[in-house]
Amino acid sequence: MSKPTSPRIWQLAERRYRLIGTKCKNCGKSFISPRKICPNCKSMDLEDILLPRKGKIYSYTIINALPSERENYGPYIMAIVELENGCKLTAEIVDCKIEDLKIGMPVELTFRKIGEESESGIIYYGYKFRPIS
Amino acid sequence: MRDVAIIGVGMSKFGELWDKQLRDIFIEAAIEAINDCKIDLKDIQALFIGNYSAGTWVQQEHLGPLLVDYLGISPKPAMRIESACASSGAAFYIAYMAIASGLYDIVMVGGVEKMTDVPTEDSTTFLASAADREWEAFFGMTFPGLFALMARRHMYQYGTKREQLAMVSVKNHKNGSKNPKAQFQREVTIDEVLNSPIVADPLTLLDCSPISDGAAACILCSSDIAKKYTDTPIYVLGSGQGTDTIALHDREDITIMKSTIEASRKAYSFAHLEPKDIDVAEVHDCFTIAEIIEYEDLGFCKKGEGGKMIENGETEIGGRIPINTSGGLKSKGHPVGATGVAQVCEIVYQLRGEAGKRQVSNAEIGLTHNIGGSGSSCYVHIFGRKKR
């Protein structure tokens, strides 16, 4: 299956590598995705920030029916993680036994391979989270 | 604004239609709708077609001109409308506005999707595009995965039981067994649901709507001319639309769909009706948890009590408010772009008293509820046997 390639990965690479998010200077809410307008208070006064590297599991699932780009990978754990400043994001949970998973479990950022464009294309990276040992 | 009526409805069989192409399926539904009200083709002034992603599933875009050509009424206006799994709910909304505004007097609105021509893994990937590609799907999130996150959080916050989720599937399969156009016409048990293969924990295969092919069509007209075509026009009493964040993680509470609350409150207010006035409803049960959340967000019960509502049998045919009498997306099938209009077809059959073995007695007012993505878009319509 063909899909958009390298440029789209580059556009967001730094944000995904360093966990850079957006914070509203007016209401203080932060978001994982880049934004110019705050959906909470409608302010246009936002800034990029480094998001907290620790958080807890807000909800989780174990993906058994795999998408085509991960057909040889899985089952794997996906979660919404709530970071220490209240910002939530979607990420894979790694280095974790399924029986240990629970809502509220503390987790921390880890830098990992997410996937690859094709056998000859670039490998792309980003954040995953693991239990705090 | 003018009052709008539905004079004709039609549906293809839903299921794995290996021997048919997208255009064949749509025209089958369209002809059934035309024959339903015996309208002359040349009286139809425009076509609005809901479709999520024919470009990825069968590599055919530009459905407006394609389907109006095969309908035989080109060069009349035609457009395709996309809102993920709510695509034909959105198309119905546009068609309704087009007549209410006076722009047209008679239009056809349809929905179509052909999903079974590619492997399941590809469909899983295509469906994930209805979520946030860069911040959800990129990291490995799938569509069933998003609803599994909602299910686990709902169970955590409200004590909803796994078995209660399964009961939604059991009810909808029971209803679907009475619908000759449903993809699955057999009943299932709670144990079968719980023991079917896990798709995204805690959801199993029988908590999920299937990958389907299918189409549905309705003919709408200004209410003052409806009786020319049928003795039993069904009137659109209310219409509402709403949205919620595209990424599930951006919501304060993932057990609430603000899109449904917004769309339904607008539709109720438009119709001067309340949730208790609804006699029968078709709601978007793409996954069992979705139906439970929708009972709450549509105002059929208090927040957190959706699990109890299914357990008490309140939404069975014969219960307080029968829901998904057609079998719902779960059993009737979910060709995503066709679902919104197919829901309208079922409510029309119910209000006309033509629903056969699944007929709800004395149904006067019906509601359809169609969401796109993880509830990121929502269309609610309310219908009645009498004008407002």
Side-chain angles (χ1 to χ4, degrees):
Chain A
M1 192 189 69
S2 63
K3 56 187 176 185
T5 53
S6 307
R8 190 166 79 177
I9 307 303
W10 299 334
Q11 288 153 17
L12 293 167
E14 198 196 350
R15 288 181 164 271
R16 287 174 178 152
Y17 288 5
R18 300 181 55 211
L19 204 60
I20 296 173
T22 319
K23 183 178 179 184
C24 175
K25 288 178 168 175
N26 183 49
C27 73
K29 283 228 173 207
S30 59
F31 309 91
I32 182 65
S33 51
R35 286 177 183 268
K36 302 284 188 202
I37 301 173
C38 175
N40 185 47
C41 73
K42 326 306 169 203
S43 165
M44 294 192 197
D45 194 10
L46 288 90
E47 62 180 341
D48 284 351
I49 59 160
L50 268 179
L51 290 166
R53 300 165 77 85
K54 289 182 182 171
K56 58 188 182 189
I57 292 182
Y58 171 80
S59 191
Y60 66 90
T61 179
I62 302 137
I63 308 286
N64 278 50
L66 308 175
S68 50
E69 64 267 30
R70 289 187 171 214
E71 59 193 345
N72 299 316
Y73 180 93
Y76 57 97
I77 303 162
M78 291 298 299
I80 292 179
V81 173
E82 183 172 5
L83 301 175
E84 284 175 341
N85 69 346
C87 174
K88 293 207 283 282
L89 52 78
T90 299
E92 188 181 341
I93 305 294
V94 292
D95 306 340
C96 178
K97 287 185 192 149
I98 285 172
E99 54 268 30
D100 292 341
L101 276 166
K102 60 178 187 194
I103 289 178
M105 182 174 146
V107 291
E108 64 181 4
L109 176 74
T110 176
F111 181 75
R112 295 288 172 95
K113 175 184 170 183
I114 302 290
E116 57 204 19
E117 218 169 60
S118 64
E119 273 184 30
S120 55
I122 64 168
I123 294 170
Y124 42 90
Y125 297 89
Y127 49 78
K128 296 186 182 181
F129 282 76
R130 64 183 171 204
I132 292 174
S133 49
Chain B
M1 297 244 301
R2 299 195 294 180
D3 282 332
V4 175
I6 302 172
I7 50 174
V9 290
M11 269 179 67
S12 74
K13 168 93 170 61
F14 277 17
E16 296 180 347
L17 310 178
W18 301 107
D19 54 340
K20 289 178 184 166
Q21 295 215 308
L22 180 142
R23 63 189 77 183
D24 306 328
I25 300 168
F26 175 70
I27 295 302
E28 192 180 320
I31 289 174
E32 192 174 298
I34 290 161
N35 289 339
D36 187 35
C37 54
K38 297 173 188 62
I39 196 168
D40 197 328
L41 257 178
K42 67 178 185 330
D43 290 348
I44 298 172
Q45 296 168 323
L47 171 67
F48 298 91
I49 181 83
N51 172 262
Y52 168 48
S53 205
T56 48
W57 264 297
V58 294
Q59 299 195 326
Q60 176 69 62
E61 302 283 19
H62 218 177
L63 295 187
L66 173 81
L67 298 178
V68 83
D69 177 9
Y70 277 76
L71 191 60
I73 61 169
S74 182
K76 288 188 179 161
M79 66 191 287
R80 171 257 185 117
I81 293 139
E82 189 273 321
S83 194
C85 310
S87 291
S88 62
F92 190 91
Y93 189 74
I94 303 287
Y96 168 74
M97 283 198 286
I99 293 178
S101 72
L103 184 65
Y104 299 118
D105 295 318
I106 304 175
V107 303
M108 179 181 283
V109 54
V112 62
E113 207 78 54
K114 184 81 180 77
M115 301 168 73
T116 67
D117 290 0
V118 302
T120 301
E121 311 83 74
D122 283 351
S123 280
T124 303
T125 300
F126 301 161
L127 286 165
S129 306
D132 188 325
R133 166 52 62 185
E134 302 296 359
W135 301 99
E136 293 181 316
F138 176 86
F139 293 98
M141 186 44 89
T142 63
F143 224 70
L146 290 168
F147 282 87
L149 293 175
M150 291 184 213
R152 191 174 311 279
R153 190 74 198 182
H154 202 279
M155 292 160 80
Y156 174 80
Q157 284 182 205
Y158 300 111
T160 303
K161 297 188 207 101
R162 179 66 191 83
E163 290 75 15
Q164 291 171 331
L165 300 183
M167 287 171 193
V168 172
S169 180
V170 171
K171 167 181 72 73
N172 292 352
H173 271 269
K174 188 175 166 191
N175 294 347
S177 72
K178 298 169 183 161
N179 183 352
K181 289 203 171 157
Q183 182 162 358
F184 303 122
Q185 296 171 35
R186 72 173 182 94
E187 297 195 31
V188 299
T189 63
I190 290 177
D191 279 347
E192 279 178 281
V193 179
L194 298 180
N195 296 321
S196 64
I198 296 169
V199 170
D201 182 81
L203 303 179
T204 67
L205 190 64
L206 286 173
D207 285 292
C208 306
S209 54
I211 288 169
S212 319
D213 305 325
C218 293
I219 300 172
L220 306 189
C221 72
S222 164
S223 67
D224 54 346
I225 57 169
K227 289 270 170 87
K228 266 174 63 180
Y229 298 97
T230 176
D231 294 334
T232 53
I234 298 300
Y235 299 97
V236 184
L237 305 183
S239 178
Q241 206 248 318
T243 58
D244 204 337
T245 64
I246 187 80
L248 191 65
H249 59 232
D250 279 330
R251 296 178 198 170
E252 263 176 52
D253 182 346
I254 64 170
T255 67
I256 294 170
M257 293 183 199
K258 286 184 181 168
S259 58
T260 294
I261 294 172
E262 173 81 3
S264 61
R265 297 309 178 265
K266 278 185 177 157
Y268 290 136
S269 149
F270 199 139
H272 304 295
L273 293 169
E274 294 177 37
K276 67 175 172 49
D277 298 319
I278 306 300
D279 297 321
V280 57
E282 287 286 295
V283 310
H284 197 98
D285 58 320
C286 49
F287 300 93
T288 50
I289 182 61
E291 183 167 319
I292 284 178
I293 289 176
E294 287 150 12
Y295 293 166
E296 300 166 1
D297 292 347
L298 286 165
F300 297 149
C301 67
K302 286 187 190 150
K303 192 71 211 168
E305 294 187 357
K308 284 185 198 147
M309 196 170 168
I310 182 77
E311 188 166 357
N312 294 342
E314 294 175 62
T315 54
E316 303 247 4
I317 295 172
R320 178 167 69 88
I321 171 169
I323 288 180
N324 287 331
T325 54
S326 68
L329 285 47
K330 174 67 207 79
S331 164
K332 183 184 61 187
H334 184 27
V336 287
T339 286
V341 170
Q343 291 176 322
V344 175
C345 292
E346 176 67 9
I347 293 298
V348 168
Y349 299 139
Q350 286 289 351
L351 299 188
R352 285 179 181 170
E354 294 174 357
K357 289 180 185 165
R358 55 186 199 281
Q359 181 66 46
V360 172
S361 57
N362 303 318
E364 290 283 332
I365 294 173
L367 176 147
T368 60
H369 163 272
N370 186 200
I371 59 170
S374 52
S376 307
S377 58
C378 179
Y379 295 83
V380 171
H381 292 100
I382 301 175
F383 304 91
R385 290 163 58 90
K386 298 188 189 111
K387 276 194 213 181
R388 275 183 294 162

